[in-house]
């Protein structure tokens, strides 16, 4: 059973879209989506420096556009995707990529929604100085309890022992001085704010207003939500969760538990892949994994699809 996953913010690197533009149809799709959101995705994906593409309002539509473009290259006909992929999920903004690939929203509507999401989250992050830090090592249960004692949110519980804390800079400074038992190191992340926490409340309101205009379809394959790792059957609930997810912790650990229960045998991560396959290698032993980084990975990915679809 094959699972397709889409990465979240932080997976992008300068110039990562360059090789993909050589494939037929990719440049045209990116230019159309660029026009739809008034943002030059081609330039940002080929010439944008690390600082430019770290901007939340840019990074989010760029990641979704890259994920969609690479996923469609896996199949001769995009209609094959829901027939050959057993389940689909995304980490943070990657959930919008997954929603589009599952047929919940058309591509252009998805890119418009993710542009609104990125702008709203950037605005919310500017209200209070907040951030995120990764915890290296330690027992997840002990770490989560310690974070809550400090007023921090375990914003990403990624499995394989990986937790990301989020909150104010003062709270994060206190965490650096008072680490949970067993944690070797606290690493500050280069992000604009405390995503997936109550600090993103204003963004939820704006995203809800943007989503109100949309008419979602039901997923055409098993759609696994990173709110709680549960499979969601209706488009209305997927859209509701996409809105609320901005201020809810990402439970990627529970998504991987669901993959296990579904009987996953192979996992492919769309461009820019690497992060989620790394987690899967540690948390899903025996499952074949492949990250789409460049078009050179497509042949191996197609072979994996042929074997596990």
């Amino acid at each position: 059973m094959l699972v397709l996953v889409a990465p979240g913010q932080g997976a992008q690197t300068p110039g990562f879209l360059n090789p993909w533009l050589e494939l037929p149809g990719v440049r045209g799709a990116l230019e159309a989506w660029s026009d739809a959101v008034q943002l030059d995705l081609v330039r940002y994906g080929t010439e944008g420096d690390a600082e430019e593409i770290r901007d939340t309002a840019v990074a989010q539509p760029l990641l979704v556009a890259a994920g969609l473009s690479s996923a469609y290259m896996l199949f001769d006909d995009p209609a094959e995707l829901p027939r050959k992929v057993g389940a689909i999920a995304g980490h943070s903004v990657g959930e919008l990529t997954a929603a589009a690939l599952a047929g919940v929203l058309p591509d252009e509507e998805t890119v418009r929604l993710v542009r609104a999401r990125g702008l709203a989250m950037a605005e919310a992050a500017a209200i209070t100085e907040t951030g995120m830090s990764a915890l290296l090592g330690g027992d997840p249960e002990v770490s989560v309890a310690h974070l809550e004692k400090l007023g921090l949110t375990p914003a990403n519980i990624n499995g394989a022992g990986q937790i990301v804390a989020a909150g104010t800079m003062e709270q994060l400074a206190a965490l650096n001085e008072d680490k949970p038992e067993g944690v070797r190191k606290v690493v500050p992340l280069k992000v604009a704010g405390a995503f997936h926490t109550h600090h993103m409340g204003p963004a939820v309101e704006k995203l809800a207003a943007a989503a109100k205009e949309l008419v979602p379809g039901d997923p055409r394959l098993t759609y696994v939500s990173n709110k709680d790792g549960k499979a969601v059957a209706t488009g209305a609930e997927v859209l509701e969760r996409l809105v609320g997810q901005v201020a809810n912790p990402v439970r990627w650990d529970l998504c991987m538990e669901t993959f296990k229960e579904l009987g996953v045998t192979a996992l492919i991560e769309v461009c820019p892949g690497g992060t989620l396959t790394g987690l899967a290698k540690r948390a899903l032993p025996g499952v074949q994994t492949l990250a789409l980084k460049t078009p050179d990975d497509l042949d191996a990915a197609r072979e994996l699809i042929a074997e596990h679809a």
Side-chain angles (χ1 to χ4, degrees), residues 157-298:
I157 302 180
N158 289 328
Q162 191 181 109
I163 293 178
V164 175
T168 66
M169 300 312 287
E170 292 81 5
Q171 289 167 334
L172 291 169
L175 171 64
N176 206 45
E177 295 299 318
D178 180 18
K179 296 188 285 291
E181 183 182 348
V183 169
R184 301 188 309 277
K185 194 174 182 182
V186 176
V187 181
L189 302 181
K190 293 179 179 178
V191 294
F195 302 144
H196 301 292
T197 72
H198 65 90
H199 294 286
M200 291 293 112
V204 173
E205 293 176 24
K206 292 193 174 179
L207 196 58
K212 200 177 287 186
E213 308 299 317
L214 304 177
V215 181
D218 294 339
R220 294 198 291 262
L221 67 160
T222 301
Y223 177 96
V224 180
S225 166
N226 71 39
K227 178 181 180 180
D228 51 16
K230 293 209 168 34
V232 181
T234 70
E237 187 178 353
V238 170
L239 189 57
E240 181 183 343
R241 283 172 174 247
L242 288 174
V243 171
Q245 174 236 53
V246 171
N248 288 333
V250 172
R251 294 301 307 267
W252 192 251
D253 59 332
L254 299 181
C255 289
M256 291 195 290
E257 286 298 319
T258 298
F259 299 161
K260 259 191 228 176
E261 291 168 10
L262 291 170
V264 60
T265 55
L267 179 146
I268 295 174
E269 182 179 3
V270 300
C271 177
T275 304
L276 301 180
T277 46
L279 291 170
K281 282 174 183 174
R282 297 194 292 278
L284 300 171
V287 173
Q288 288 185 256
T289 61
L290 190 144
L292 286 178
K293 296 180 180 179
T294 75
D296 291 341
D297 300 311
L298 286 170

Side-chain angles (χ1 to χ4, degrees), residues 67-186:
L68 294 176
S69 299
S70 63
Y72 292 138
M73 290 296 109
L74 291 169
F75 305 93
D76 294 329
D77 178 356
E80 292 180 62
L81 192 153
R83 294 198 298 268
K84 294 191 173 180
V85 175
I88 195 163
H91 189 286
S92 189
V93 73
E95 278 211 313
L96 281 98
T97 310
L101 294 173
V104 175
L105 293 172
D107 294 346
E108 187 170 305
E109 285 186 8
T110 302
V111 177
R112 287 181 191 276
L113 185 63
V114 76
R115 174 63 166 158
R117 181 187 193 271
L119 288 167
M121 290 176 74
E123 288 174 16
I127 296 171
T128 306
E129 194 178 1
T130 58
M132 304 177 83
S133 294
L135 307 184
L136 304 184
D139 177 88
E141 288 188 19
V142 172
S143 293
V144 167
H146 190 83
L147 295 179
E148 290 172 349
K149 185 181 76 175
L150 295 175
L152 288 158
T153 301
N156 298 168
I157 302 180
N158 289 328
Q162 191 181 109
I163 293 178
V164 175
T168 66
M169 300 312 287
E170 292 81 5
Q171 289 167 334
L172 291 169
L175 171 64
N176 206 45
E177 295 299 318
D178 180 18
K179 296 188 285 291
E181 183 182 348
V183 169
R184 301 188 309 277
K185 194 174 182 182
V186 176

